């Protein structure tokens, strides 16, 4: 066969045209400019950390941004508002205290509440949540280094198991929509013990976990949990293979930086559902169409973009790439933000606070020396140097237990004797020292400029009173390990007030507790704390803490210095309804009130 | 030769082992991974500490933990087993997965900047070498060192402020005020003066030309609202195409070679003729299609050059192929510009196209061209930032290498036997000047995969540098080791390649076996 030159050329051209049209995109030439009917608009929020897991309750998944995604995609019995009140969502379900002694609480999910795949949210889900958060079957024992020596930890739950750990296996009722928890002794924080949105709500769907763990169905999981025995670290039982499979899947099965192909891994029972994820860059949530059990958001879509550094967040806000930011607060950042038109900046207290603790040993074994040192601390000057540049109306914190956002703060602060330390009293300190010149070594994190500033101000003032202050500051990587190990007389660092709940109190102040680094011990305070932990009336709790506050101040424990400052800013030309919130949920706490102007 | 390579590879493995041990220890001892928990007053503090100890094996001393890591990493060397285990990051993500993703992002970020830096840097270097000690030479040297010494985070912040936020504000009402036109035109005039050669009169004339040209173009762009609905159109492609044809011919063959010039002009003509027939096809473009079209373009260029005939077909082919590729590039650019209004008006862009963070607009849905524009607007600023700082080294290397070559005896010989200046420069000097550059480029490619730590951070780009720095801050050795392994291997391999390349390119250098 012979072809002419031209027919060859035509043949080549035809083949080429065919090849090109074969690889054309299927969609044709349609110009896609917008998307389907959007009415509420979209809001984009900047976050520091990157999304990494759909289960924010595990040790690995316990990153703030995962918790925020869970907050928007889960149903829960209550949330915490910006004034640190517990706000129940009765449209999702109810919980009530059935009896005080023994403490019995019944949780009921409302009929019609479903996961986004149509499966109802029911007792199975509550039970799975309970078994993970109570650590009921865990019987692992670990040595000093933290190594597990015997037994098994089934669920790597990142939260505190001591509350739900008091409960027995719950009873299921109301056609499988309720569980009833019976506590072995009264538990102070019962109201925030289970199913709160800020802790991930009713976290993982039981029917999915059951299936992925190789169980027949959700009922098999319920039967498995009902058949469990309480774990005893002293007498570890043989590992339960089925529960181990459930635990392993719960621990790691929902970890994913990208959107899994299997939609059952990111079911939603809340207002939004995850729509797309760009690993380490952004996550987009859209409305969950079936949701009608609780506050309804007015926006259609939320995008969270991950931006690490504060100045970059500010520029992204300025360029309209994000609408809401919550960067690390600093005087520079505030200045940058204030210079942008149409941006509203919210600056307010956070729940963490810096404090000066005096060891009840060494030079400070003598109460007079402690009092003299406390008298010489310039708290107002520290606040002026560190907090004032960011928040103009900042004041020293006057309670070891409450923050000003809580109602009990004012009476407690007025009664605990903190007013004696409002301004340094050098003469009073000199009088107490009576000519002695004790040497005080203060330990703090040298690499934290705020702590270093506080140290130098305290040093300057205390030396006037006759103290010899030695700089015991350590680098960022060493100071934490040195806490409680001795070798210093006083320390400056930070605690985080939980805002709601009282379980954190004994952790710091009870004799021999894990975070009681300075050796504070007072039998009366211990007794009050024991009482506190079994007191379930909030008003009674406040009264007890107020008494403990007074005891702590009277024993010259040390001084709270100031509350850290939080910051959020948003494009108020475009967005409204953003309200500051001091706890870890941040601005997301009322995302259902966010609105895009003009939409 | 083989023994040499084997010997090099063997030492490379030893270096990697030693260095990885050192890096692991330094990372593990760089901080306290429990620091945040020690400060905690949560009721379940002990439990949290225990969980983290278990996750990171903190109960095992760091030197021993290294060997545990090494055991997992060694499996990566066993081919076809697929049980590569580089451990887990603190957030539970497998390091292999994180590395794969980060490498993709880093390659996306640095490829454009690296290619541009090499091309522009080498061109600047050659030109300044040919015009040594001229105003142009001093000007380029000054600018190169200026950019080289600017801190990249600062350049990045300025770029964001003016090239992104400022430019986006400008796009809302794309009208250029006369004062701005005057200033830019003046700068253009000065640049023309610097670049021109000859008498002062001639250079002043060039300056005036530059001034008028810049002012005219800016004015036209402003009046026609070009920034809202950009495009090139046939006229611009025609004018620029003819200019490219002449330029390409000058470089590839010299204007005296009429056949080469006609080949290049024919390539322009083909591009213009195909402009309209191609539009419906381009409307359904995919990456594969663009790749095939690119190959077709080169083939058409070669075909034209071949058919033109003459005593030296190669020169025709070169001129025509270069022209064809550049004209096709303009057609492509024109198509992207046609998609601009759709991109600009997209509700997720909201009229602010130039981005300051990330590599894409979340949930942007659009066709091939809109997606392409989105990538462009996100890569623009980081590419400029990276380009500015890496221009200096390439232009200096190219300049010194070219200067050295131009003083060689064989260049004098070439001139003495009557070769034209174009042939001397392009064929005898330029190629040989590239030999040292080739080895530097090979070496730099190895370094590029390591990521641009600061640039990635400022532009919130989740690449290798970001992975490294974030893991280091959390005192999380596994991701750090992953990054180290990749960059270490890359550095060693490309070092070897650079050495081999040198001996392959330059017959004077032969490896002693």
């Amino acid at each position: 066969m012979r072809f002419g030159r031209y027919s060859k050329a035509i043949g080549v051209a035809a083949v080429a045209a065919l090849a090109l049209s074969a690889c054309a995109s299927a969609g044709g030439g349609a110009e896609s400019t917008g998307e389907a009917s959007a009415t509420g608009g979209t809001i984009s929020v900047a976050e520091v950390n990157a999304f990494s897991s759909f289960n924010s309750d595990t040790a690995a998944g316990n990153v703030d941004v995962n918790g925020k995604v869970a907050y928007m995609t889960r149903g829960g019995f209550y949330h915490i508002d910006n004034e640190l009140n517990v706000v129940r969502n009765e449209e999702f379900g109810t919980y009530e205290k059935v009896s005080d002694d023994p403490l019995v609480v019944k949780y009921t999910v409302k009929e019609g509440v479903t996961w986004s795949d149509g499966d109802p949210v029911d007792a199975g889900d509550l039970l799975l949540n309970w078994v993970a958060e109570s650590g009921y079957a865990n019987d692992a024992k670990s040595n000093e280094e933290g190594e597990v020596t015997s037994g098994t930890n089934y669920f790597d739950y990142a939260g505190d198991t001591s509350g739900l750990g008091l409960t027995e296996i719950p009873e299921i009722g109301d056609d499988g929509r309720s569980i009833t928890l019976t506590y072995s002794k009264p538990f102070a924080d019962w109201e925030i013990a289970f199913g709160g949105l800020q802790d991930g709500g009713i976290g993982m769907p039981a029917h999915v976990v059951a299936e992925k763990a190789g169980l027949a169905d959700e009922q098999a999981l319920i039967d498995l949990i009902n058949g469990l025995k309480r774990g005893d670290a002293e007498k570890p039982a043989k590992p339960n293979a089925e529960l181990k499979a459930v635990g392993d899947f719960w621990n790691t099965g929902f970890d994913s930086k990208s959107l899994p192909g299997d939609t059952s891994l990111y079911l939603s029972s809340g207002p939004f559902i995850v729509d797309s994820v760009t690993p380490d860059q952004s996550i987009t949530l859209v409305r969950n169409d079936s949701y009608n059990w609780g506050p309804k958001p007015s926006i259609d879509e939320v995008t969270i973009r991950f931006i690490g550094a504060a100045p970059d967040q500010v520029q992204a806000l300025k360029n309209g790439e994000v609408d809401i930011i919550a960067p690390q607060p600093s005087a520079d950042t505030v200045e940058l933000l204030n210079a942008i038109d149409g941006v509203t900046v919210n600056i307010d207290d956070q729940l963490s606070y810096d404090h000066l603790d005096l060891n009840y040993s060494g030079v400070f074994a003598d109460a007079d020396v402690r009092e003299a040192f406390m008298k010489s601390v310039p708290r107002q000057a520290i606040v002026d140097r560190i907090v004032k540049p960011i928040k103009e109306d900042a004041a020293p914190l006057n309670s070891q237990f409450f923050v000003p956002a809580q109602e009990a703060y004012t009476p407690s602060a007025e009664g605990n004797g903190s007013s004696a330390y409002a301004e340094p009293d050098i003469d009073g300190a000199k009088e107490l020292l009576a000519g002695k010149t004790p040497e005080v070594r203060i330990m703090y994190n040298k690499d934290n400029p705020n702590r270093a500033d506080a140290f130098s101000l305290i040093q300057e003032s205390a030396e006037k009173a006759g103290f010899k202050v030695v700089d015991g500051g350590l680098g960022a990587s060493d100071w934490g390990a040195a806490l409680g190990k001795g070798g210093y007389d006083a320390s400056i660092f930070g605690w985080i007030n939980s805002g709601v709940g009282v379980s954190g109190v004994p952790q710091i102040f009870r004799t021999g507790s894990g975070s009681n680094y300075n050796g504070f011990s007072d039998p009366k305070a211990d007794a009050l704390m024991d009482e506190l932990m079994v007191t379930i009336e909030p008003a009674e709790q406040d009264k007890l803490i107020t008494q403990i506050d007074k005891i702590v101040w009277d024993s010259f424990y040390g001084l709270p210095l100031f509350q850290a400052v939080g910051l959020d800013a948003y494009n108020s030309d475009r967005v409204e309804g953003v309200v500051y919130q001091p706890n870890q949920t941040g601005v997301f706490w009322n995302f259902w009130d966010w609105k895009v102007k003009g939409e | 030769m083989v023994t040499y390579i084997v010997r090099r590879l063997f030492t490379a493995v030893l270096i990697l082992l030693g260095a990885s041990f050192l890096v692991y220890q330094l990372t593990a001892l760089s901080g306290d991974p429990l620091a945040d928990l020690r400060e905690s007053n949560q009721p379940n503090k002990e439990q949290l500490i225990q969980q983290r100890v278990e996750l990171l094996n903190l109960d095992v001393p760091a030197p021993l933990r290294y060997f545990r890591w090494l055991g997992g990493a060694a499996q990566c060397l066993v081919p076809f087993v697929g049980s590569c285990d580089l451990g887990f990051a603190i957030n539970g993500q497998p390091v292999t997965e994180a590395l794969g993703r980060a490498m993709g992002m880093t390659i996306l970020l640095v490829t454009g900047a690296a290619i541009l830096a090499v091309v522009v840097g080498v061109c600047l270097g050659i030109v300044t070498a040919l015009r040594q000690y001229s105003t142009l030479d001093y000007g380029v040297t000054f600018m190169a060192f200026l950019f080289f010494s600017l801190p990249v985070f600062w350049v990045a912040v300025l770029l964001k402020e003016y090239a992104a936020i400022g430019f986006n504000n400008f796009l809302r009402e794309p009208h250029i005020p006369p004062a701005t036109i005057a200033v830019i035109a003046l700068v253009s005039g000065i640049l023309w003066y610097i670049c021109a050669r000859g008498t002062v009169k001639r250079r002043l004339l060039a300056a005036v030309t530059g001034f008028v040209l810049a002012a005219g173009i800016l004015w036209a762009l402003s009046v026609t609202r070009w920034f809202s609905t950009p495009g090139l159109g046939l006229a611009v492609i025609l004018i620029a195409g003819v200019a490219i044809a002449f330029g390409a011919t000058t470089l590839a063959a010299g204007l005296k070679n009429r056949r080469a010039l006609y080949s290049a002009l024919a390539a322009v003509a083909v591009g213009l003729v195909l402009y309209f027939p191609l539009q419906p096809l381009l409307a359904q473009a995919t990456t594969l299609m663009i790749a095939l079209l690119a190959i077709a373009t080169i083939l058409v260029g070669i075909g034209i050059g071949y058919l033109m005939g003459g005593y030296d077909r190669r020169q025709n082919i070169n001129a025509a192929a270069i022209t064809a590729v550049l004209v096709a590039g303009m057609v492509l650019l024109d198509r992207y510009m046609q998609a601009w209004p759709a991109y600009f008006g997209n509700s997720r862009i909201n009229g602010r196209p130039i981005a300051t963070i990330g590599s894409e607009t979340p949930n942007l849905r659009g066709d091939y061209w809109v997606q392409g524009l989105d990538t462009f607007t996100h890569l623009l600023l980081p590419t400029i930032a990276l380009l500015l700082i890496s221009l200096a080294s390439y232009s200096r290397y190219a300049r010194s290498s070219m200067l050295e070559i131009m003083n060689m005896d064989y260049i004098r010989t070439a001139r003495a036997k009557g070769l034209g200046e174009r042939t001397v420069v392009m064929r005898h000097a330029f190629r040989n000047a590239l030999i040292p550059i080739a080895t530097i480029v090979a070496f730099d490619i190895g370094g590029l995969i390591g990521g641009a730590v600061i640039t990635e951070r400022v532009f919130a780009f989740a690449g290798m540098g970001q992975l490294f720095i974030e893991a280091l801050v959390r005192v999380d050795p596994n991701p750090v080791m992953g990054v180290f392994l990749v960059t270490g291997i890359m550095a060693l391999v490309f070092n070897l390649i650079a050495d081999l390349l040198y001996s392959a390119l330059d017959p004077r250098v032969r490896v002693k076996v």
Side-chain angles (χ1 to χ4, degrees):
Chain A
M1 286 217 285
R2 307 192 77 187
F3 293 100
R5 189 185 269 184
Y6 291 105
S7 46
K8 262 187 200 163
I10 291 169
V12 168
V15 169
L18 257 177
L20 288 172
S21 50
C23 61
S25 66
E31 295 273 317
S32 42
T33 46
E35 42 284 317
S37 64
T39 52
T42 79
I43 284 182
S44 172
V45 190
E47 275 290 322
V48 171
N49 292 312
F51 176 81
S52 64
S53 175
F54 293 97
N55 186 356
S56 62
D57 282 344
T58 63
N62 185 22
V63 180
D64 55 356
V65 66
N66 297 345
K68 286 163 184 174
V69 170
Y71 190 87
M72 293 190 276
T73 57
R74 302 271 189 272
F77 288 102
Y78 67 92
H79 71 268
I80 310 286
D81 73 4
N82 60 328
E83 282 159 352
L84 304 175
N85 299 312
V86 175
V87 181
R88 297 190 183 194
N89 178 6
E90 309 256 314
E91 286 175 71
F92 172 80
T94 53
Y95 62 110
E96 53 182 335
K97 192 168 63 190
V98 178
S99 84
D100 274 343
D101 197 14
L103 178 60
V104 178
V105 189
K106 182 177 174 190
Y107 294 85
T108 314
V109 181
K110 236 180 142 197
E111 204 160 357
V113 175
T114 59
W115 294 101
S116 45
D117 65 350
D119 201 275
V121 177
D122 54 19
D125 302 303
L126 301 184
L127 207 58
L128 173 65
N129 221 35
W130 170 84
V131 77
E133 297 185 6
S134 65
Y136 184 79
N138 290 352
D139 55 9
K141 199 175 183 181
S142 47
N143 61 14
E144 286 225 330
E145 273 116 39
E147 196 180 3
V148 175
T149 50
S150 67
T152 324
N153 269 334
Y154 295 98
F155 295 92
D156 266 343
Y157 176 53
D160 180 19
T161 56
S162 65
L164 288 177
L166 298 172
T167 58
E168 286 307 317
I169 292 178
E171 235 171 82
I172 298 182
D174 295 274
D175 300 330
R177 283 187 292 107
S178 79
I179 62 168
T180 306
L181 298 178
T182 308
Y183 289 85
S184 59
K185 60 177 184 180
F187 174 58
D189 289 341
W190 69 271
E191 205 176 346
I192 52 162
F194 187 72
L197 272 186
Q198 80 287 351
D199 297 323
I202 297 305
M204 296 298 131
H207 63 287
V208 173
V209 174
E211 187 206 320
K212 302 280 178 189
L215 299 179
D217 55 8
E218 189 171 337
Q219 190 55 44
L221 177 62
I222 295 174
D223 295 342
L224 170 68
I225 295 173
N226 277 328
L228 291 176
K229 293 249 174 336
R230 183 180 286 279
D232 181 356
E234 298 305 322
K235 280 180 272 171
K238 221 177 108 209
N240 180 335
E242 280 185 324
L243 188 65
K244 185 97 180 86
V246 171
D248 286 350
F249 189 78
W250 190 88
N251 292 339
T252 59
F254 295 97
D255 291 353
S256 178
K257 286 223 151 196
S258 54
L259 197 67
D262 180 353
T263 54
S264 70
L265 293 179
Y266 56 96
L267 293 182
S268 163
S269 60
F272 282 109
I273 182 165
V274 178
D275 180 54
S276 66
V277 184
T278 311
D280 293 318
Q281 286 197 46
S282 67
I283 180 167
T284 304
L285 296 88
V286 296
R287 270 181 202 282
N288 175 9
D289 291 328
S290 58
Y291 171 85
N292 64 354
W293 42 88
K296 242 190 150 56
S298 68
I299 49 172
D300 294 317
E301 194 181 289
V302 174
T303 298
I304 304 177
R305 305 193 68 172
F306 316 133
I307 312 173
D312 303 330
Q313 287 199 4
V314 174
Q315 283 191 312
L317 177 71
K318 199 173 173 187
N319 197 27
E321 283 163 277
V322 292
D323 304 306
I324 305 172
I325 62 170
Q328 275 290 326
S330 76
D332 292 345
T333 307
V334 173
E335 198 181 315
L336 280 175
L337 283 168
N338 284 333
I340 311 174
D341 286 338
V343 164
T344 301
V345 185
N346 293 328
I347 296 171
D348 214 327
D349 295 328
Q350 263 183 335
L351 290 178
S352 60
Y353 60 98
D354 274 21
H355 53 94
L356 167 78
D357 292 354
L358 309 179
N359 284 357
Y360 284 79
S361 55
V363 60
F364 282 136
D366 181 356
D368 282 348
V369 182
R370 290 205 299 277
E371 189 183 354
F373 195 78
M374 279 166 69
K375 274 186 186 300
S376 72
V377 173
R379 293 205 301 153
Q380 188 61 48
I382 293 172
V383 170
D384 290 350
R385 167 85 65 91
I386 298 170
V387 197
K388 276 271 171 74
I390 309 172
K391 183 171 180 277
E392 277 171 22
D393 58 345
L397 184 64
N398 285 326
S399 166
Q400 296 274 13
F401 297 89
F402 297 110
V403 290
Q406 292 163 309
E407 258 173 55
Y409 173 79
T410 316
S412 189
E414 279 168 4
N416 62 16
S418 56
S419 52
Y421 310 102
E423 287 292 336
D425 175 9
I426 303 295
D427 295 333
K430 274 185 181 155
E431 217 168 282
L432 281 166
L433 285 178
K436 283 183 285 185
T437 56
E439 189 181 284
V440 177
R441 178 180 287 271
I442 302 183
M443 203 275 287
Y444 62 97
N445 177 3
K446 250 187 180 165
D447 296 330
N448 180 330
N450 285 353
R451 307 262 158 84
D453 275 355
F455 168 77
S456 57
L457 287 167
I458 292 173
Q459 181 183 40
E460 192 189 325
S461 179
E463 286 187 341
K464 281 185 206 150
F467 285 98
K468 266 190 228 150
V469 178
V470 181
D471 185 348
L474 295 171
S477 56
D478 301 321
W479 76 273
L483 275 175
K485 298 265 155 54
Y488 62 90
D489 304 303
S491 53
I492 307 170
F493 61 106
W495 291 134
I496 298 171
N497 186 303
S498 55
V500 287
V502 298
S503 303
V505 171
Q507 173 68 13
I508 304 177
F509 294 97
R510 200 207 298 266
T511 306
S513 251
S515 299
N516 184 348
Y517 292 126
N518 62 345
F520 170 74
S521 171
D522 186 293
K524 210 170 146 218
D526 285 352
L528 284 170
M529 278 184 263
D530 288 343
E531 198 188 332
L532 175 68
M533 289 318 290
V534 297
T535 303
I536 50 184
E537 279 304 314
E540 294 295 316
Q541 293 176 352
D542 285 351
K543 270 187 205 159
L544 287 169
I545 298 176
T546 307
Q547 289 179 46
I548 305 170
D549 200 10
K550 176 107 175 70
I551 295 173
V552 169
W553 280 85
D554 285 348
S555 85
F556 311 113
Y557 178 94
L559 290 164
L561 298 173
F562 58 85
Q563 261 181 293
V565 178
L567 165 70
D568 62 57
Y570 61 98
N571 181 349
S572 43
D573 282 348
R574 198 175 115 74
V575 178
E576 59 190 353
V578 180
V579 178
Y580 180 83
Q581 145 87 307
N583 76 10
Q584 78 277 14
T585 314
V587 284
F588 288 93
W589 78 273
N590 70 337
F591 69 92
W592 44 76
D593 292 334
W594 294 352
K595 275 195 190 70
V596 175
K597 284 186 184 172
E599 295 272 3
Chain B
M1 194 66 175
V2 177
T3 3
Y4 173 75
I5 295 175
V6 169
R7 207 167 59 210
R8 282 287 298 263
L9 285 176
F10 181 70
T11 38
V13 170
L14 286 186
I15 292 172
L16 262 186
L17 275 178
S20 66
F21 182 78
L22 212 65
V23 171
Y24 194 97
Q25 301 312 314
L26 288 174
T27 312
L29 301 176
S30 70
D32 178 9
L34 300 174
D36 57 321
L37 294 178
R38 287 191 214 278
E39 197 183 353
S40 156
N41 56 326
Q42 292 185 61
N44 58 327
K45 181 170 133 179
E46 277 77 19
Q47 180 202 343
L48 290 175
I49 290 183
Q50 188 213 316
Q51 277 168 349
R52 189 168 303 171
V53 165
E54 217 171 306
L55 185 72
L56 297 180
N57 290 320
L58 295 177
D59 46 335
V60 181
L64 293 179
R65 242 185 301 151
Y66 166 76
F67 288 102
R68 187 179 288 197
W69 172 84
L70 190 65
Q75 292 172 19
C76 301
L77 297 175
V78 186
F80 311 120
V81 180
S83 67
C84 197
D85 176 20
L86 293 177
F88 291 85
I90 264 189
N91 61 18
Q93 193 192 17
V95 169
T96 40
E97 187 191 307
L99 270 182
R101 204 168 272 149
M103 243 191 291
M105 292 303 287
T106 290
I107 289 171
L108 177 69
L109 174 71
V110 298
T111 313
I115 293 173
L116 276 176
V118 171
V119 172
V120 178
V122 168
C123 286
L124 279 179
I126 302 291
V127 170
T128 49
L130 293 177
R131 296 182 51 191
Q132 200 187 5
Y133 302 138
S134 64
T135 330
L136 178 69
D137 185 20
Y138 287 127
V140 169
T141 306
F142 173 74
M143 294 308 272
F145 278 112
L146 181 71
F147 290 135
F148 183 66
S149 41
L150 289 181
V152 66
F153 59 86
W154 187 69
V155 173
V157 167
L158 286 188
L159 278 174
K160 282 181 177 191
E161 191 64 38
Y162 296 106
I165 298 170
F167 187 68
N168 284 338
N169 288 343
F170 160 75
L171 285 182
R172 259 195 311 228
E173 189 50 57
H175 164 76
I176 312 174
T180 316
I181 294 185
V183 170
I184 298 176
L186 203 65
V187 172
S188 152
I190 293 171
L191 283 178
W192 277 67
Y193 181 84
I194 291 173
C195 292
R197 63 203 301 193
T199 60
V200 173
K201 200 176 150 197
R202 213 178 130 180
R203 296 174 76 179
L204 280 175
L205 196 68
V208 172
T209 316
F211 182 87
V212 172
L213 214 58
I217 290 175
L218 284 176
W219 179 79
L221 293 182
S222 176
V223 165
T224 57
R225 308 244 144 198
W226 187 83
F227 287 102
S228 301
T229 51
L232 293 178
L234 274 184
V236 174
I237 296 180
L238 172 69
I239 296 168
V242 170
I244 287 171
F246 274 89
T249 313
T250 312
L251 287 180
L255 281 178
K256 278 189 189 141
N257 186 340
R258 288 289 151 180
R259 281 179 192 273
L261 182 62
Y262 296 149
S263 312
L265 288 173
V268 177
V270 171
L272 288 173
V273 169
L274 285 179
Y275 177 82
F276 283 111
L278 272 177
Q279 295 302 320
L281 190 64
L282 288 178
Q284 310 172 35
T286 57
T287 314
L288 181 65
M289 182 200 284
I290 298 298
L292 288 179
L293 281 176
I295 295 171
T297 306
I298 296 171
L299 290 179
V300 166
I302 293 173
I304 292 173
Y306 183 83
L307 291 177
M308 197 58 76
Y311 68 92
D312 192 353
R313 277 181 167 156
R314 226 180 118 177
Q315 289 196 337
N316 306 346
I317 289 175
N318 283 348
I322 294 171
T323 313
V325 167
L326 291 176
V327 170
M330 278 201 291
V331 174
L332 203 66
L333 187 64
D334 181 71
R335 184 60 189 81
Y336 272 114
M337 287 175 169
Q338 288 175 32
W340 181 261
Y343 177 70
F344 189 78
N346 190 302
S347 70
R348 285 169 212 284
I349 303 302
N350 223 348
R352 299 191 70 84
I354 309 293
T356 64
I357 45 161
S359 68
E360 61 178 46
T361 305
N363 254 20
L364 178 79
R365 286 176 184 136
D367 59 7
Y368 177 83
W369 304 101
V370 168
Q371 297 287 359
L373 281 174
D374 192 50
T375 308
F376 169 77
T377 55
H378 280 83
L379 286 178
L380 181 66
L381 298 193
T383 302
I384 295 176
L386 285 173
L387 179 65
L388 286 184
I389 50 168
S390 45
L391 258 188
S393 58
Y394 286 123
S395 70
R396 298 313 288 171
Y397 278 125
R399 181 178 179 273
S400 66
S401 152
M402 189 70 178
L403 279 178
E404 193 186 323
I405 301 286
M406 289 303 279
N407 289 327
M408 287 283 182
D409 286 344
Y410 67 80
I411 296 293
R412 198 175 309 134
T413 314
R415 286 208 173 105
K417 73 183 178 192
L419 290 180
E421 186 64 12
R422 189 198 69 81
T423 320
V424 172
V425 171
M426 290 306 291
R427 196 171 285 177
H428 294 258
F430 177 62
R431 289 182 181 189
N432 289 309
L434 284 186
I435 292 174
I437 309 279
T439 63
I440 292 165
V441 170
F443 190 62
D444 274 3
I445 290 171
L448 281 176
I449 310 294
V453 176
I454 298 170
T455 315
E456 281 177 14
R457 175 103 189 133
V458 179
F459 290 103
F461 236 84
M464 297 286 275
Q466 186 87 312
L467 181 68
F468 174 81
I469 205 82
E470 281 186 356
L472 194 60
V473 168
R474 287 191 304 245
V475 198
D476 185 3
N478 285 341
V480 173
M481 293 310 291
V483 173
F484 165 79
L485 212 57
V486 172
T487 44
I489 290 174
M490 282 290 171
L492 289 168
V493 166
F494 275 93
N495 231 336
L496 180 61
I497 290 179
D499 284 356
L500 297 179
L501 202 61
Y502 207 106
S503 70
L505 288 178
D506 190 344
R508 290 169 303 183
V509 181
R510 278 285 179 249
V511 178
K512 291 192 190 90
V513 183

